[in-house]
mmCIF file of all heavy atoms in Angstrom:
data_model
loop_
_atom_site.group_PDB
_atom_site.id
_atom_site.type_symbol
_atom_site.label_atom_id
_atom_site.label_comp_id
_atom_site.label_asym_id
_atom_site.label_seq_id
_atom_site.Cartn_x
_atom_site.Cartn_y
_atom_site.Cartn_z
ATOM 1 N N THR T 861 -15.605 -6.302 13.269
ATOM 2 C CA THR T 861 -15.211 -7.517 12.440
ATOM 3 C C THR T 861 -14.491 -7.083 11.160
ATOM 4 O O THR T 861 -13.471 -7.621 10.803
ATOM 5 C CB THR T 861 -16.430 -8.411 12.158
ATOM 6 O OG1 THR T 861 -17.055 -8.760 13.349
ATOM 7 C CG2 THR T 861 -15.999 -9.665 11.405
ATOM 8 N N GLY T 862 -15.104 -6.068 10.510
ATOM 9 C CA GLY T 862 -14.554 -5.683 9.110
ATOM 10 C C GLY T 862 -13.105 -5.292 9.199
ATOM 11 O O GLY T 862 -12.269 -5.808 8.498
ATOM 12 N N TYR T 863 -12.785 -4.311 10.092
ATOM 13 C CA TYR T 863 -11.407 -3.828 10.024
ATOM 14 C C TYR T 863 -10.386 -4.838 10.566
ATOM 15 O O TYR T 863 -9.246 -4.884 10.139
ATOM 16 C CB TYR T 863 -11.264 -2.470 10.761
ATOM 17 C CG TYR T 863 -11.374 -2.483 12.234
ATOM 18 C CD1 TYR T 863 -10.327 -2.885 13.052
ATOM 19 C CD2 TYR T 863 -12.538 -2.033 12.929
ATOM 20 C CE1 TYR T 863 -10.392 -2.920 14.459
ATOM 21 C CE2 TYR T 863 -12.616 -2.073 14.263
ATOM 22 C CZ TYR T 863 -11.572 -2.537 15.082
ATOM 23 O OH TYR T 863 -11.606 -2.489 16.419
ATOM 24 N N ILE T 864 -10.849 -5.701 11.468
ATOM 25 C CA ILE T 864 -9.928 -6.699 12.049
ATOM 26 C C ILE T 864 -9.546 -7.685 10.934
ATOM 27 O O ILE T 864 -8.314 -8.033 10.795
ATOM 28 C CB ILE T 864 -10.555 -7.422 13.255
ATOM 29 C CG1 ILE T 864 -10.703 -6.525 14.386
ATOM 30 C CG2 ILE T 864 -9.755 -8.623 13.652
ATOM 31 C CD1 ILE T 864 -11.523 -7.036 15.616
ATOM 32 N N VAL T 865 -10.494 -8.177 10.193
ATOM 33 C CA VAL T 865 -10.201 -9.126 9.129
ATOM 34 C C VAL T 865 -9.304 -8.424 8.076
ATOM 35 O O VAL T 865 -8.341 -9.012 7.592
ATOM 36 C CB VAL T 865 -11.507 -9.680 8.498
ATOM 37 C CG1 VAL T 865 -11.208 -10.543 7.281
ATOM 38 C CG2 VAL T 865 -12.291 -10.533 9.565
ATOM 39 N N VAL T 866 -9.730 -7.207 7.648
ATOM 40 C CA VAL T 866 -8.923 -6.545 6.636
ATOM 41 C C VAL T 866 -7.466 -6.393 7.102
ATOM 42 O O VAL T 866 -6.489 -6.643 6.345
ATOM 43 C CB VAL T 866 -9.567 -5.173 6.243
ATOM 44 C CG1 VAL T 866 -8.617 -4.342 5.414
ATOM 45 C CG2 VAL T 866 -10.885 -5.379 5.507
ATOM 46 N N GLU T 867 -7.309 -5.948 8.363
ATOM 47 C CA GLU T 867 -5.902 -5.647 8.815
ATOM 48 C C GLU T 867 -5.079 -6.956 8.890
ATOM 49 O O GLU T 867 -3.897 -6.941 8.751
ATOM 50 C CB GLU T 867 -5.932 -4.886 10.092
ATOM 51 C CG GLU T 867 -6.375 -3.424 9.835
ATOM 52 C CD GLU T 867 -6.432 -2.517 11.056
ATOM 53 O OE1 GLU T 867 -5.905 -2.875 12.135
ATOM 54 O OE2 GLU T 867 -7.018 -1.416 10.915
ATOM 55 N N MET T 868 -5.761 -8.035 9.185
ATOM 56 C CA MET T 868 -5.072 -9.366 9.205
ATOM 57 C C MET T 868 -4.475 -9.672 7.867
ATOM 58 O O MET T 868 -3.300 -10.035 7.719
ATOM 59 C CB MET T 868 -6.053 -10.468 9.610
ATOM 60 C CG MET T 868 -5.483 -11.816 9.581
ATOM 61 S SD MET T 868 -6.694 -13.028 10.078
ATOM 62 C CE MET T 868 -7.680 -13.221 8.661
ATOM 63 N N PHE T 869 -5.264 -9.436 6.778
ATOM 64 C CA PHE T 869 -4.803 -9.703 5.453
ATOM 65 C C PHE T 869 -3.703 -8.666 5.003
ATOM 66 O O PHE T 869 -2.783 -8.988 4.276
ATOM 67 C CB PHE T 869 -5.954 -9.661 4.402
ATOM 68 C CG PHE T 869 -6.721 -10.946 4.407
ATOM 69 C CD1 PHE T 869 -7.917 -11.062 5.130
ATOM 70 C CD2 PHE T 869 -6.199 -12.101 3.837
ATOM 71 C CE1 PHE T 869 -8.664 -12.257 5.132
ATOM 72 C CE2 PHE T 869 -6.908 -13.283 3.869
ATOM 73 C CZ PHE T 869 -8.110 -13.364 4.536
ATOM 74 N N LEU T 870 -3.880 -7.394 5.522
ATOM 75 C CA LEU T 870 -2.835 -6.416 5.155
ATOM 76 C C LEU T 870 -1.488 -6.851 5.754
ATOM 77 O O LEU T 870 -0.467 -6.799 5.100
ATOM 78 C CB LEU T 870 -3.207 -5.039 5.778
ATOM 79 C CG LEU T 870 -4.425 -4.385 5.138
ATOM 80 C CD1 LEU T 870 -4.698 -3.061 5.786
ATOM 81 C CD2 LEU T 870 -4.252 -4.160 3.606
ATOM 82 N N PHE T 871 -1.463 -7.266 7.042
ATOM 83 C CA PHE T 871 -0.241 -7.729 7.684
ATOM 84 C C PHE T 871 0.376 -8.877 6.837
ATOM 85 O O PHE T 871 1.574 -8.927 6.704
ATOM 86 C CB PHE T 871 -0.546 -8.228 9.098
ATOM 87 C CG PHE T 871 -0.435 -7.211 10.159
ATOM 88 C CD1 PHE T 871 -1.541 -6.941 10.979
ATOM 89 C CD2 PHE T 871 0.727 -6.539 10.392
ATOM 90 C CE1 PHE T 871 -1.446 -5.991 12.001
ATOM 91 C CE2 PHE T 871 0.843 -5.601 11.427
ATOM 92 C CZ PHE T 871 -0.287 -5.351 12.202
ATOM 93 N N LEU T 872 -0.502 -9.839 6.459
ATOM 94 C CA LEU T 872 0.029 -11.043 5.848
ATOM 95 C C LEU T 872 0.530 -10.918 4.437
ATOM 96 O O LEU T 872 1.472 -11.515 3.982
ATOM 97 C CB LEU T 872 -1.043 -12.123 5.890
ATOM 98 C CG LEU T 872 -1.325 -12.804 7.251
ATOM 99 C CD1 LEU T 872 -2.649 -13.587 7.262
ATOM 100 C CD2 LEU T 872 -0.187 -13.628 7.717
ATOM 101 N N PHE T 873 -0.130 -10.055 3.632
ATOM 102 C CA PHE T 873 0.159 -9.996 2.206
ATOM 103 C C PHE T 873 0.600 -8.607 1.732
ATOM 104 O O PHE T 873 1.750 -8.423 1.274
ATOM 105 C CB PHE T 873 -1.043 -10.422 1.394
ATOM 106 C CG PHE T 873 -1.508 -11.827 1.747
ATOM 107 C CD1 PHE T 873 -2.623 -12.020 2.576
ATOM 108 C CD2 PHE T 873 -0.769 -12.950 1.366
ATOM 109 C CE1 PHE T 873 -2.959 -13.328 2.913
ATOM 110 C CE2 PHE T 873 -1.077 -14.226 1.702
ATOM 111 C CZ PHE T 873 -2.239 -14.443 2.469
ATOM 112 N N TYR T 874 -0.239 -7.623 1.849
ATOM 113 C CA TYR T 874 0.037 -6.242 1.373
ATOM 114 C C TYR T 874 1.329 -5.680 2.043
ATOM 115 O O TYR T 874 2.178 -5.150 1.300
ATOM 116 C CB TYR T 874 -1.166 -5.397 1.834
ATOM 117 C CG TYR T 874 -1.246 -3.934 1.570
ATOM 118 C CD1 TYR T 874 -2.037 -3.390 0.601
ATOM 119 C CD2 TYR T 874 -0.504 -3.070 2.356
ATOM 120 C CE1 TYR T 874 -2.157 -2.006 0.433
ATOM 121 C CE2 TYR T 874 -0.607 -1.695 2.246
ATOM 122 C CZ TYR T 874 -1.421 -1.215 1.228
ATOM 123 O OH TYR T 874 -1.539 0.145 1.085
ATOM 124 N N ALA T 875 1.428 -5.795 3.381
ATOM 125 C CA ALA T 875 2.539 -5.246 4.079
ATOM 126 C C ALA T 875 3.887 -5.705 3.599
ATOM 127 O O ALA T 875 4.846 -4.901 3.420
ATOM 128 C CB ALA T 875 2.391 -5.584 5.601
ATOM 129 N N ARG T 876 4.009 -7.014 3.262
ATOM 130 C CA ARG T 876 5.246 -7.643 2.835
ATOM 131 C C ARG T 876 5.722 -6.986 1.551
ATOM 132 O O ARG T 876 6.896 -6.646 1.377
ATOM 133 C CB ARG T 876 4.912 -9.094 2.654
ATOM 134 C CG ARG T 876 6.080 -9.951 2.386
ATOM 135 C CD ARG T 876 5.608 -11.386 2.295
ATOM 136 N NE ARG T 876 6.546 -12.178 1.538
ATOM 137 C CZ ARG T 876 7.698 -12.642 2.045
ATOM 138 N NH1 ARG T 876 7.996 -12.393 3.299
ATOM 139 N NH2 ARG T 876 8.523 -13.267 1.295
ATOM 140 N N ARG T 877 4.751 -6.831 0.602
ATOM 141 C CA ARG T 877 5.167 -6.260 -0.687
ATOM 142 C C ARG T 877 5.595 -4.827 -0.595
ATOM 143 O O ARG T 877 6.603 -4.459 -1.198
ATOM 144 C CB ARG T 877 3.995 -6.356 -1.676
ATOM 145 C CG ARG T 877 3.653 -7.790 -2.066
ATOM 146 C CD ARG T 877 2.402 -7.859 -2.945
ATOM 147 N NE ARG T 877 2.690 -7.466 -4.338
ATOM 148 C CZ ARG T 877 3.204 -8.237 -5.255
ATOM 149 N NH1 ARG T 877 3.469 -9.473 -4.953
ATOM 150 N NH2 ARG T 877 3.454 -7.820 -6.476
ATOM 151 N N ILE T 878 4.871 -4.032 0.193
ATOM 152 C CA ILE T 878 5.217 -2.611 0.363
ATOM 153 C C ILE T 878 6.535 -2.439 1.106
ATOM 154 O O ILE T 878 7.327 -1.551 0.786
ATOM 155 C CB ILE T 878 4.030 -1.758 0.887
ATOM 156 C CG1 ILE T 878 4.134 -0.354 0.516
ATOM 157 C CG2 ILE T 878 3.980 -1.844 2.423
ATOM 158 C CD1 ILE T 878 2.889 0.499 0.682
ATOM 159 N N ARG T 879 6.768 -3.366 2.015
ATOM 160 C CA ARG T 879 8.037 -3.261 2.808
ATOM 161 C C ARG T 879 9.273 -3.595 1.879
ATOM 162 O O ARG T 879 10.231 -2.870 1.965
ATOM 163 C CB ARG T 879 8.014 -4.269 3.996
ATOM 164 C CG ARG T 879 9.333 -4.511 4.698
ATOM 165 C CD ARG T 879 9.876 -3.285 5.341
ATOM 166 N NE ARG T 879 11.183 -3.464 5.966
ATOM 167 C CZ ARG T 879 12.337 -3.457 5.351
ATOM 168 N NH1 ARG T 879 12.371 -3.178 4.004
ATOM 169 N NH2 ARG T 879 13.439 -3.683 5.956
ATOM 170 N N HIS T 880 9.147 -4.606 1.094
ATOM 171 C CA HIS T 880 10.221 -4.962 0.156
ATOM 172 C C HIS T 880 10.491 -3.790 -0.741
ATOM 173 O O HIS T 880 11.684 -3.384 -0.964
ATOM 174 C CB HIS T 880 9.843 -6.180 -0.658
ATOM 175 C CG HIS T 880 10.003 -7.512 0.031
ATOM 176 N ND1 HIS T 880 10.976 -7.788 0.932
ATOM 177 C CD2 HIS T 880 9.163 -8.606 0.025
ATOM 178 C CE1 HIS T 880 10.773 -9.021 1.352
ATOM 179 N NE2 HIS T 880 9.710 -9.547 0.904
ATOM 180 N N PHE T 881 9.458 -3.257 -1.339
ATOM 181 C CA PHE T 881 9.561 -2.177 -2.386
ATOM 182 C C PHE T 881 10.154 -0.968 -1.658
ATOM 183 O O PHE T 881 10.997 -0.275 -2.255
ATOM 184 C CB PHE T 881 8.156 -1.884 -2.883
ATOM 185 C CG PHE T 881 8.201 -0.940 -4.051
ATOM 186 C CD1 PHE T 881 8.400 -1.418 -5.341
ATOM 187 C CD2 PHE T 881 7.989 0.403 -3.934
ATOM 188 C CE1 PHE T 881 8.400 -0.595 -6.442
ATOM 189 C CE2 PHE T 881 8.050 1.280 -5.004
ATOM 190 C CZ PHE T 881 8.274 0.762 -6.301
ATOM 191 N N ALA T 882 9.700 -0.653 -0.451
ATOM 192 C CA ALA T 882 10.168 0.540 0.277
ATOM 193 C C ALA T 882 11.719 0.522 0.392
ATOM 194 O O ALA T 882 12.341 1.548 0.213
ATOM 195 C CB ALA T 882 9.510 0.620 1.613
ATOM 196 N N GLU T 883 12.265 -0.584 0.758
ATOM 197 C CA GLU T 883 13.730 -0.590 0.953
ATOM 198 C C GLU T 883 14.468 -0.544 -0.430
ATOM 199 O O GLU T 883 15.430 0.156 -0.607
ATOM 200 C CB GLU T 883 14.202 -1.775 1.773
ATOM 201 C CG GLU T 883 15.700 -1.743 1.910
ATOM 202 C CD GLU T 883 16.232 -2.493 3.119
ATOM 203 O OE1 GLU T 883 15.414 -3.275 3.735
ATOM 204 O OE2 GLU T 883 17.427 -2.369 3.391
ATOM 205 N N ALA T 884 13.902 -1.342 -1.385
ATOM 206 C CA ALA T 884 14.610 -1.374 -2.644
ATOM 207 C C ALA T 884 14.611 0.040 -3.316
ATOM 208 O O ALA T 884 15.587 0.395 -3.999
ATOM 209 C CB ALA T 884 13.874 -2.343 -3.557
ATOM 210 N N GLN T 885 13.526 0.811 -3.111
ATOM 211 C CA GLN T 885 13.453 2.091 -3.786
ATOM 212 C C GLN T 885 13.656 3.252 -2.824
ATOM 213 O O GLN T 885 13.348 4.396 -3.157
ATOM 214 C CB GLN T 885 12.002 2.195 -4.440
ATOM 215 C CG GLN T 885 11.629 1.051 -5.350
ATOM 216 C CD GLN T 885 12.404 1.106 -6.633
ATOM 217 O OE1 GLN T 885 12.802 2.178 -7.139
ATOM 218 N NE2 GLN T 885 12.532 -0.042 -7.278
ATOM 219 N N ASP T 886 14.141 2.981 -1.620
ATOM 220 C CA ASP T 886 14.367 4.034 -0.585
ATOM 221 C C ASP T 886 13.113 4.868 -0.385
ATOM 222 O O ASP T 886 13.162 6.126 -0.440
ATOM 223 C CB ASP T 886 15.580 4.849 -0.929
ATOM 224 C CG ASP T 886 15.968 5.787 0.262
ATOM 225 O OD1 ASP T 886 15.719 5.386 1.398
ATOM 226 O OD2 ASP T 886 16.595 6.865 0.024
ATOM 227 N N CYS T 887 12.039 4.181 -0.109
ATOM 228 C CA CYS T 887 10.775 4.976 0.196
ATOM 229 C C CYS T 887 10.627 5.178 1.728
ATOM 230 O O CYS T 887 10.716 4.250 2.463
ATOM 231 C CB CYS T 887 9.526 4.203 -0.288
ATOM 232 S SG CYS T 887 9.578 3.811 -2.065
ATOM 233 N N VAL T 888 10.391 6.377 2.073
ATOM 234 C CA VAL T 888 10.179 6.701 3.537
ATOM 235 C C VAL T 888 8.683 6.960 3.757
ATOM 236 O O VAL T 888 8.187 6.671 4.807
ATOM 237 C CB VAL T 888 11.045 7.923 3.901
ATOM 238 C CG1 VAL T 888 10.784 8.346 5.345
ATOM 239 C CG2 VAL T 888 12.539 7.559 3.806
ATOM 240 N N THR T 889 8.025 7.490 2.732
ATOM 241 C CA THR T 889 6.651 7.912 2.949
ATOM 242 C C THR T 889 5.767 7.175 1.922
ATOM 243 O O THR T 889 6.281 6.612 0.967
ATOM 244 C CB THR T 889 6.488 9.431 2.751
ATOM 245 O OG1 THR T 889 6.754 9.689 1.364
ATOM 246 C CG2 THR T 889 7.367 10.243 3.641
ATOM 247 N N LEU T 890 4.415 7.283 2.058
ATOM 248 C CA LEU T 890 3.563 6.678 1.116
ATOM 249 C C LEU T 890 3.637 7.384 -0.245
ATOM 250 O O LEU T 890 3.669 6.700 -1.315
ATOM 251 C CB LEU T 890 2.153 6.677 1.650
ATOM 252 C CG LEU T 890 1.160 5.798 0.963
ATOM 253 C CD1 LEU T 890 1.523 4.344 1.109
ATOM 254 C CD2 LEU T 890 -0.269 5.991 1.481
ATOM 255 N N PRO T 891 3.701 8.730 -0.256
ATOM 256 C CA PRO T 891 3.918 9.332 -1.597
ATOM 257 C C PRO T 891 5.231 8.896 -2.250
ATOM 258 O O PRO T 891 5.280 8.801 -3.460
ATOM 259 C CB PRO T 891 3.959 10.890 -1.212
ATOM 260 C CG PRO T 891 3.098 11.008 0.001
ATOM 261 C CD PRO T 891 3.336 9.753 0.774
ATOM 262 N N ASP T 892 6.281 8.581 -1.438
ATOM 263 C CA ASP T 892 7.515 8.071 -2.016
ATOM 264 C C ASP T 892 7.247 6.756 -2.728
ATOM 265 O O ASP T 892 7.728 6.512 -3.885
ATOM 266 C CB ASP T 892 8.465 7.671 -0.840
ATOM 267 C CG ASP T 892 9.406 8.762 -0.518
ATOM 268 O OD1 ASP T 892 9.425 9.779 -1.165
ATOM 269 O OD2 ASP T 892 10.117 8.577 0.560
ATOM 270 N N PHE T 893 6.359 5.898 -2.137
ATOM 271 C CA PHE T 893 6.012 4.597 -2.771
ATOM 272 C C PHE T 893 5.333 4.857 -4.112
ATOM 273 O O PHE T 893 5.731 4.276 -5.122
ATOM 274 C CB PHE T 893 5.137 3.817 -1.821
ATOM 275 C CG PHE T 893 4.326 2.724 -2.522
ATOM 276 C CD1 PHE T 893 5.003 1.602 -2.947
ATOM 277 C CD2 PHE T 893 2.990 2.924 -2.731
ATOM 278 C CE1 PHE T 893 4.312 0.629 -3.629
ATOM 279 C CE2 PHE T 893 2.271 1.909 -3.434
ATOM 280 C CZ PHE T 893 2.941 0.755 -3.834
ATOM 281 N N PHE T 894 4.348 5.779 -4.085
ATOM 282 C CA PHE T 894 3.582 5.991 -5.346
ATOM 283 C C PHE T 894 4.556 6.585 -6.420
ATOM 284 O O PHE T 894 4.433 6.206 -7.570
ATOM 285 C CB PHE T 894 2.403 6.876 -5.141
ATOM 286 C CG PHE T 894 1.198 6.121 -4.597
ATOM 287 C CD1 PHE T 894 0.910 6.142 -3.226
ATOM 288 C CD2 PHE T 894 0.345 5.420 -5.474
ATOM 289 C CE1 PHE T 894 -0.256 5.445 -2.795
ATOM 290 C CE2 PHE T 894 -0.746 4.786 -4.990
ATOM 291 C CZ PHE T 894 -1.068 4.750 -3.629
ATOM 292 N N ALA T 895 5.380 7.508 -5.996
ATOM 293 C CA ALA T 895 6.243 8.220 -6.915
ATOM 294 C C ALA T 895 7.222 7.239 -7.536
ATOM 295 O O ALA T 895 7.487 7.266 -8.786
ATOM 296 C CB ALA T 895 7.010 9.389 -6.202
#
Side-chain angles (χ1 to χ4, degrees):
Chain T
T861 304
Y863 73 77
I864 292 174
V865 172
V866 169
E867 288 181 13
M868 176 179 79
F869 282 100
L870 292 179
F871 270 122
L872 287 167
F873 303 103
Y874 175 110
R876 188 179 157 78
R877 293 177 76 83
I878 204 164
R879 167 63 182 83
H880 284 321
F881 190 85
E883 181 157 9
Q885 307 287 333
D886 190 26
C887 304
V888 173
T889 65
L890 195 64
D892 268 352
F893 160 73
F894 277 100

